[in-house]
């Protein structure tokens, strides 16, 4: 049996608008220029290479992000490791957008959805975008309060810098 997502607004990071009642995140980072860079960026995102290179332990139920694939990410070490179970809600492999969004499952410290997308813009520039909506789902994220969005924004920018390095 597949675990249910822990929030009702499935797919909102793909189609919008982001739902009320959550903290919203939107971070864009330039990663390069040209179709080859775009394709490398899309592959690094959807094969979870970017996350791994950014220092996150990823266990995924498939090699690439497709709807329904379970993903567990882990941050920290030993007894201080936080695990975050998710499931891919949507993926896109278009000529100018490659990426995916995953949603939280029971046991995730947050409740909501996050997407990771490479976009090839009309001027040939390649951008990495993280879009998310979330709210606390555990005692320690409630306790951390206003620090959580600061960490999320820093992590999104770190992923963008990591992706830029991977596609050079």
């Amino acid at each position: 049996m597949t675990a249910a997502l822990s929030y009702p607004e499935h797919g909102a990071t793909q189609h919008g608008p982001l739902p009320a009642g959550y903290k919203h995140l939107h971070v864009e980072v330039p990663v390069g220029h040209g179709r080859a860079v775009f394709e490398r960026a899309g592959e690094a995102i959807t094969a979870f290479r970017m996350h791994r290179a950014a220092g996150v332990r990823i266990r995924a139920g498939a090699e690439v992000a497709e709807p329904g694939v379970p993903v567990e990410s882990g941050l920290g070490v030993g007894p201080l490791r936080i695990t975050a179970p998710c499931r891919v809600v949507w993926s896109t492999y278009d000529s100018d957008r490659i990426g995916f969004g995953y949603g939280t499952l029971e046991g995730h410290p947050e409740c909501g959805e996050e997407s990771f997308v490479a976009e090839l813009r009309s001027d040939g520039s390649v951008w990495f975008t993280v879009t998310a909506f979330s709210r606390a789902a555990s005692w320690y994220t409630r306790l951390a309060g206003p620090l959580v969005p600061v960490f999320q924004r820093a992590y999104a920018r770190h992923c963008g810098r990591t992706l830029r390095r991977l596609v050079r």
Side-chain angles (χ1 to χ4, degrees), residues 59-146:
R59 291 193 313 200
E63 295 295 316
V64 296
E66 292 289 349
V69 170
V71 179
E72 183 181 271
S73 56
L75 290 171
V77 293
L80 299 178
R81 181 175 301 278
I82 296 172
T83 58
C86 296
R87 185 170 62 243
V88 176
V89 176
W90 61 268
S91 61
T92 185
Y93 295 88
D94 294 335
S95 63
D96 61 352
R97 269 177 56 93
I98 300 173
F100 72 94
Y102 58 25
T104 58
L105 301 174
E106 185 69 33
H108 194 292
E110 290 283 298
C111 171
E113 191 173 293
E114 188 169 27
S115 68
F116 308 90
V117 176
E119 179 184 5
L120 178 61
R121 297 194 177 163
S122 60
D123 65 356
S125 63
V126 179
W127 289 76
F128 170 66
T129 303
V130 177
T131 303
F133 61 92
S134 64
R135 60 182 172 224
S138 67
W139 67 266
Y140 52 90
T141 52
R142 281 190 289 280
L143 184 65

Side-chain angles (χ1 to χ4, degrees), residues 44-67:
I45 292 168
T46 58
F48 310 106
R49 276 192 324 112
M50 177 198 66
H51 285 86
R52 289 181 177 113
V56 178
R57 185 190 71 185
I58 295 287
R59 291 193 313 200
E63 295 295 316
V64 296
E66 292 289 349

